[in-house]
Amino acid sequence: QVQLGESGGGLVQAGGALRPSCVASGRTFRRHAMGWFRQPPGEEREFVVATSGSGGNLYHTGAVEGRFTISRNNAVNTVSLQMNSLRPEDTAVYYCAAARTGTVTRRGEAYVFWGQGTQVTVSS
């Protein structure tokens, strides 16, 4: 079982940056693709970005293209989300999640372990 814990959200002005991170406990972290999802206020959860178990393959949504970057360090069981040029529409609870396999995917149903989320609020 993979247990996940996010941190690093917060309040930032438009144009600023944040880097939430997700630390996993367990012995098989590198075997799981890792994704970041977000749920804006009053909206459904949506895919943001993901990386394969090795970090060699990545997907991202067009809404964050050129602004958000996912990275993972399998030596310390950590995946991070570098968020630059933040906009008010990026405001959401951000969740990290581990997929069942190491194959990168943007499908939420493929992710079986979820963190509790970290709040990101971007002010105008």
Side-chain angles (χ1 to χ4, degrees), residues 1-4 22 24-36 50-57 70-74 77-79 96-105 110-114:
Q1 186 178 37
V2 178
Q3 300 174 17
L4 306 172
C22 176
S25 63
R27 298 184 294 177
T28 60
F29 177 70
R30 68 183 65 207
R31 297 184 184 272
H32 301 272
M34 295 294 299
W36 286 93
T51 183
S52 65
S54 68
N57 296 95
I70 189 172
S71 62
R72 66 189 298 161
N73 187 338
N74 288 340
N77 281 20
T78 300
V79 61
C96 70
R100 187 178 300 277
T101 73
T103 303
V104 66
T105 177
Y111 293 83
V112 295
F113 304 111
W114 293 83

Side-chain angles (χ1 to χ4, degrees), residues 16-100:
L18 287 171
R19 194 182 188 187
S21 62
C22 176
V23 179
S25 63
R27 298 184 294 177
T28 60
F29 177 70
R30 68 183 65 207
R31 297 184 184 272
H32 301 272
M34 295 294 299
W36 286 93
F37 296 76
R38 67 186 182 186
Q39 187 167 18
E43 300 183 21
E44 296 182 346
R45 184 188 66 195
E46 64 182 7
F47 170 80
V48 179
V49 64
T51 183
S52 65
S54 68
N57 296 95
L58 302 96
Y59 286 140
H60 62 266
T61 181
V64 305
E65 185 176 2
R67 300 188 298 120
F68 290 13
T69 304
I70 189 172
S71 62
R72 66 189 298 161
N73 187 338
N74 288 340
V76 293
N77 281 20
T78 300
V79 61
S80 298
L81 180 63
Q82 180 66 53
M83 304 188 294
N84 298 324
S85 302
L86 284 162
R87 306 165 181 169
E89 55 262 41
D90 295 320
T91 295
V93 177
Y94 283 72
Y95 299 90
C96 70
R100 187 178 300 277

